[in-house]
């Protein structure tokens, strides 16, 4: 369970996240949508304890992320796939991550298979990875502790169509086994296909929220809904 309650974040007096509230329940995928600069990453960073809120709260599994004893065992996070150390091979990066959270080394081979990275990729240095490969490696790190919750910021960025379809299956089956997924994405068709509920923000405020099936009833697409609410497109910083 993820609970975002009256969450606000101000930078230099400007609210970039403005009184946001929503809940993500076990067994569901939540699509978190909004134009560039609308406050999605800031919300996810607050949820993962990387940025303090100005007001309100963001909790996961009943408390603050930083208060979970071994958070990677409960909550898988992928916020920035390009943040990985480029000088390590994929296998070194994943082995280190396993050791850090106390997951067995045996998980490494299993995870590479699960995220579709082969032996050649495992031996390659991360700096030579494509963005799609980095996303897969980042997802392997998020999954290694067999978490109950996944928090993913644009995980399908850089994935090819096969990779996007694979990601959809992975997230759907994770939720179908009782997991909670919060996913930010600009791939509206994909989100429509996988998400049970949608939270759409614009200028840091929730402008639409509800079950995907209800929001796209009557032949309306998620893209129609998105464009209706965000007609001005990309947000600008004053
Ligand atoms: N550390 C910071 N200091 C000042 N302003 C910031 C900081 N971090 C984010 N912002 C501003 O907050 C706003 C929201 O940014 P955020 O990255 O949360 O948007 P986003 O919805 O994730 O965008 P995108 O889709 O482009 O990733 C932007 O105007 C951004 O410039």
């Amino acid at each position: 369970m993820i609970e975002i309650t009256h969450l606000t974040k101000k930078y230099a007096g400007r609210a970039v996240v403005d009184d946001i509230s929503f809940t993500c329940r076990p067994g569901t995928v939540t699509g978190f949508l909004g134009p560039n600069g609308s406050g999605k990453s800031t919300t996810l960073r607050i949820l993962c304890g990387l940025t303090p809120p100005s007001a309100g709260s963001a909790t996961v599994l009943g408390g603050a992320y930083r208060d979970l004893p071994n958070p990677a065992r409960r909550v898988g996070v992928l916020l920035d796939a390009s943040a990985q150390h480029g000088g390590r091979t994929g296998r070194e990066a994943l082995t280190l991550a396993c050791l850090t959270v106390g997951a067995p080394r045996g998980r490494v081979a299993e995870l590479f298979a699960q995220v579709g990275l082969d032996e050649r990729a495992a031996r390659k240095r991360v700096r030579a990875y494509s963005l799609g490969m980095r996303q897969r490696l980042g997802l392997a790190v998020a999954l290694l502790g067999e978490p109950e919750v996944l928090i993913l910021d644009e995980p399908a960025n850089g994935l090819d169509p096969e990779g996007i379809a694979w990601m959809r299956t992975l997230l759907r089956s994770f939720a179908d086994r009782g997991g909670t997924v919060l996913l930010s994405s600009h791939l509206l068709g994909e989100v429509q296909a996988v998400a049970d509920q949608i939270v759409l923000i614009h200028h840091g405020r929730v402008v639409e929220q509800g079950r995907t099936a209800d929001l796209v009833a009557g032949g309306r697409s998620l893209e129609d809904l998105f464009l209706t609410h965000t007609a001005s497109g990309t947000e600008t910083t004053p």
Side-chain angles (χ1 to χ4, degrees):
M1 178 87 111
I2 292 171
E3 285 180 296
I4 309 285
T5 311
H6 296 297
L7 190 70
T8 294
K9 178 70 184 180
K10 292 183 178 177
Y11 285 116
R14 182 174 75 100
V16 299
V17 172
D18 194 357
D19 197 22
I20 284 182
S21 298
F22 64 89
T23 301
C24 310
R25 297 184 194 288
T28 66
V29 176
T30 299
F32 191 32
L33 308 177
N36 292 133
S38 56
K40 303 178 299 295
S41 299
T42 303
T43 303
L44 300 184
R45 288 176 58 79
I46 293 171
L47 180 58
C48 297
L50 295 171
T51 306
S54 305
S57 67
T59 63
V60 55
L61 297 168
Y65 176 88
R66 65 174 173 278
D67 293 336
L68 294 170
N70 188 352
R73 285 288 201 176
R74 314 270 326 262
V75 182
V77 175
L78 173 57
L79 292 187
D80 184 1
S82 57
Q84 289 144 2
H85 191 298
R88 297 197 179 106
T89 65
R91 177 172 289 112
E92 286 166 351
L94 201 48
T95 304
L96 258 177
C98 277
L99 293 174
T100 307
V101 307
R105 270 168 179 266
R107 282 285 285 147
V108 173
E110 204 175 289
L111 284 160
F112 273 122
Q114 192 180 354
V115 301
L117 289 173
D118 61 14
E119 178 56 30
R120 228 175 117 224
R123 278 191 273 119
K124 221 177 197 178
R125 291 199 192 280
V126 172
R127 74 164 68 90
Y129 274 29
S130 66
L131 178 55
M133 290 168 79
R134 282 172 196 245
Q135 294 284 24
R136 289 174 189 265
L137 182 63
L139 206 63
V141 173
L143 291 167
L144 68 83
E146 301 183 81
E148 298 145 68
V149 176
L150 283 177
I151 298 169
L152 309 172
D153 198 0
E154 304 201 31
N157 239 357
L159 289 180
D160 58 20
E162 180 273 329
I164 290 171
W166 159 80
M167 168 86 64
R168 185 197 314 149
T169 308
L170 186 142
L171 298 183
R172 192 63 262 164
S173 65
F174 183 88
D176 289 346
R177 292 194 308 273
T180 306
V181 181
L182 175 56
L183 156 81
S184 94
S185 178
H186 290 295
L187 300 175
L188 301 179
E190 268 315 299
V191 172
Q192 184 168 335
V194 76
D196 302 283
Q197 72 160 348
I198 300 293
V199 176
L200 172 58
I201 64 171
H202 190 213
H203 297 302
R205 298 189 74 95
V206 175
V207 291
E208 191 79 65
Q209 169 169 23
R211 290 183 49 222
T212 312
D214 296 337
L215 295 178
V216 301
R220 190 162 68 154
S221 70
L222 207 49
E223 187 178 50
D224 296 335
L225 186 79
F226 185 95
L227 293 175
T228 303
H229 283 290
T230 62
S232 60
T234 305
E235 312 214 348
T236 51
T237 309

